[in-house]
Amino acid sequence: MRILVSDSLSNEGLDILKEHFTVDIHTGLSEDELVDKIKQYDALVIRSGTQVTQKIIEAADNLKVIGRAGVGVDNVDVDAATKKGIIVTNAPEGNMISAAEHTIAMMMAMSRNIPQANASLKAREWKRNKFTGIEVKGKTLGIIGLGRIGSEVSKRSLGLEMNLIGYDPFISEKRAVELGIKLTTVNEIAKVADYITVHTPLIKETKNIIDEEQFALMKPSVKIINCARGGIINEEALAKALEGGKIGGAALDVFVEEPPFNSPLLQFDNVIVTPHLGASTQEAQVNVAIDIAKEIVSVLTGGLAKNAINIPSIKPEAMAILAPYIRLSEIMGKIAGQLADGNYEKVEIAYNGEISGRDTRPLTVSALKGLLEMALGSGVNYVNAPTLAKSRKVAVVESKSESSEEYSSTMSIRLISSGLTKLVAGTVVGDESKIISVDEDKMDIFPAGRMIFAKHINKPNVIGPCCMVLGKNEINISGMQVGRSEIGGFTMMVLNVDSEVSAPILEEVRSIPGILNAKLVTL
Ligand code: NAD
Ligand code: MLT
């Protein structure tokens, strides 16, 4: 397999990749150059420099994974990658300490005018009064976004004896208490904080989260810090606030356009800037390079994507329990898909018993993959299965119940296609997938290879002729299961066969009196 590394990456990461794959390093490529090259590669490793556009992704016919050495994936068209079935993954933990330390460094540098004083003294000036600063002790810091980096900033700020307030709609009151932060609103932060720092991703909801309205509420002394992403704070509104002397200053590591050579923000004396250096430490660069290299090796050797952005990721401890159910759900999806007729309309996936208490998202994705593969072929994978279901208007409904009668955990797939319903239920025994019912028929089969599912009347002279048809066509039967029902009732027979069953042979089976339907299922 071949890996393209299109931004600089530490040797520690490159060495891991080289142990397993052929690695080409080409930095500074244009979009067209990448479009030309990308077909040859199985994985693309980037930092923030490469813009992975839809055009590049569309040309990436062999690409399986895009690995971002760092956190932000705003330079990747994740939707296009998802549609193409390409995993997008990142290395979110390796640089969080560096980014938090940079935030603190920016806050301190701004409070004590260090960059300005440094420039002044180097210009042979000695202006001690001009650069009188302020202490951070006892001041209120407002933190917007309390994830990895926001939390690390809060820990360090408590050490500086600051008062902390914060806003993050996705963290609990309990977590905020643990961090020593009083949760409040963005506008309240704007009103009362002496320092405001943002640590959210740049998404629709966070773009311009600090805008004219918030600047109007702020104290004239407030200092703003952005070491997350340009655009979370509206740059035009910030420039206006600085111009009108409405705020005390700003420290910026990131910009809407990088490099920000045309930005009016560079002209203010009370704005200090760094060229996107939050993660630029030796430690962070080694960490993210190693993390992303290991992730790429794992994905390309059939393992897990621990930090995938576009598929549910599973922690290794949870994986030990979920793995057999992931296999079961894919098999059940394949069986349901092959037993059904017509266009899929709705899939209801039910989890019962112990498994219902787990994160079942990977199981649902796996069931959809199995199901859609039957209609769409090998282009379906764990990444694009949910998107494909959505785009084909297949409704997916999950339900959970703690109770399960015969087994500790069971799951079922009810597939509604062209108004008809097919129901397949299964469980895991040891590590093996077992089908426990099809429609209303109880079964006891360990599915494998090719199987004929034949619905028939439970009476003499049905099973025998069926075996005769297969026998005379040299098809070996390696296993057989008949569902339980009273004599004369309808039930299901499953025959495991060792070779292909052609359409005419299947038709001959269907024509046997007492056989209501027969379908070949191939796993
Ligand atoms: P994270 O995912 O751990 O945390 C982000 C937090 O933002 C989450 O807790 C989330 O709940 C919160 N959030 C989401 N929507 C929100 C909203 N509408 N309002 C308030 N909070 C919201 O991410 P992280 O690793 O802490 O990274 C934070 C930012 O820092 C990202 O933008 C990342 O790209 C950036 N970053 C920059 C550098 C740099 O070099 N300057 C380095 C690393 C990370
Ligand atoms: C990140 O998102 O990890 C940062 O912006 C750091 C970087 O990649 O330079």
Side-chain angles (χ1 to χ4, degrees), residues 107-118:
M107 179 168 72
M108 300 306 288
M110 182 163 49
S111 302
R112 304 304 297 270
N113 302 307
I114 291 172
Q116 298 88 336
N118 176 64

Side-chain angles (χ1 to χ4, degrees), residues 293-446:
K294 286 186 176 164
E295 185 90 337
I296 299 280
V297 171
S298 173
V299 172
L300 292 185
T301 54
L304 270 183
K306 202 165 75 165
N307 295 309
I309 307 290
N310 53 355
I311 50 170
S313 51
I314 315 165
K315 295 232 156 49
E317 23 335 333
M319 187 60 184
I321 295 157
L322 291 182
Y325 287 92
I326 293 177
R327 283 194 293 276
L328 171 69
S329 33
E330 185 163 345
I331 287 172
M332 286 174 51
K334 284 185 178 169
I335 295 176
Q338 290 174 86
L339 292 181
D341 292 304
N343 296 327
Y344 306 161
E345 288 158 12
K346 189 176 182 189
V347 196
E348 295 168 4
I349 306 175
Y351 299 101
N352 307 308
E354 276 169 24
I355 196 72
S356 69
R358 303 268 162 193
D359 179 358
T360 51
R361 289 173 307 162
L363 277 60
T364 298
V365 169
S366 181
L368 291 176
K369 174 179 179 277
L371 188 69
L372 292 172
E373 246 172 24
M374 297 304 112
L376 305 176
S378 60
V380 185
N381 61 27
Y382 295 108
V383 179
N384 61 11
T387 319
L388 287 171
K390 204 168 166 195
S391 68
R392 296 170 70 85
K393 305 271 183 292
V394 180
V396 182
V397 181
E398 264 190 56
S399 65
K400 292 187 174 192
S401 154
E402 281 176 14
S403 71
S404 170
E405 284 167 14
E406 274 180 67
Y407 300 90
S408 60
S409 295
T410 62
M411 61 174 289
S412 67
I413 297 180
R414 183 186 296 276
L415 173 63
I416 297 146
S417 56
S418 301
L420 299 170
T421 299
K422 226 354 106 190
L423 178 66
V424 179
T427 190
V428 170
V429 176
D431 244 8
E432 283 200 67
S433 303
K434 179 171 162 179
I435 300 302
I436 55 173
S437 70
V438 173
D439 297 334
E440 64 285 5
D441 299 307
K442 289 205 168 204
M443 314 247 49
D444 207 356
I445 58 165
F446 291 95

Side-chain angles (χ1 to χ4, degrees), residues 5 7-10 13 44-50 66-76 78 88-99 148-149 201 227-229 276-281 283-296 306-309:
V5 178
D7 287 320
S8 63
L9 193 75
S10 288
L44 173 66
V45 179
I46 56 166
R47 285 184 54 203
S48 52
T50 305
I66 299 169
R68 161 74 158 100
V71 184
V73 287
D74 32 299
N75 53 328
V76 179
V78 178
V88 180
T89 185
N90 68 354
E93 283 169 13
N95 63 24
M96 66 186 190
I97 301 297
S98 295
R148 283 175 291 257
I149 297 170
C227 289
R229 277 293 178 273
H276 202 142
L277 290 186
S280 294
T281 61
E283 293 84 352
Q285 286 317 307
V286 170
N287 290 343
V288 295
I290 291 176
D291 289 352
I292 206 65
K294 286 186 176 164
E295 185 90 337
I296 299 280
K306 202 165 75 165
N307 295 309
I309 307 290

Side-chain angles (χ1 to χ4, degrees), residues 71-72 74 92 95 99 144-150 167-171 199-203 205-206 209 227-229 232 253-254 276-279:
V71 184
D74 32 299
N95 63 24
I144 299 177
L146 296 163
R148 283 175 291 257
I149 297 170
Y167 173 71
D168 188 324
F170 305 108
I171 76 149
H199 298 286
T200 67
L202 176 65
I203 48 176
E205 292 76 15
T206 60
I209 201 165
C227 289
R229 277 293 178 273
I232 296 173
D253 184 47
V254 287
H276 202 142
L277 290 186

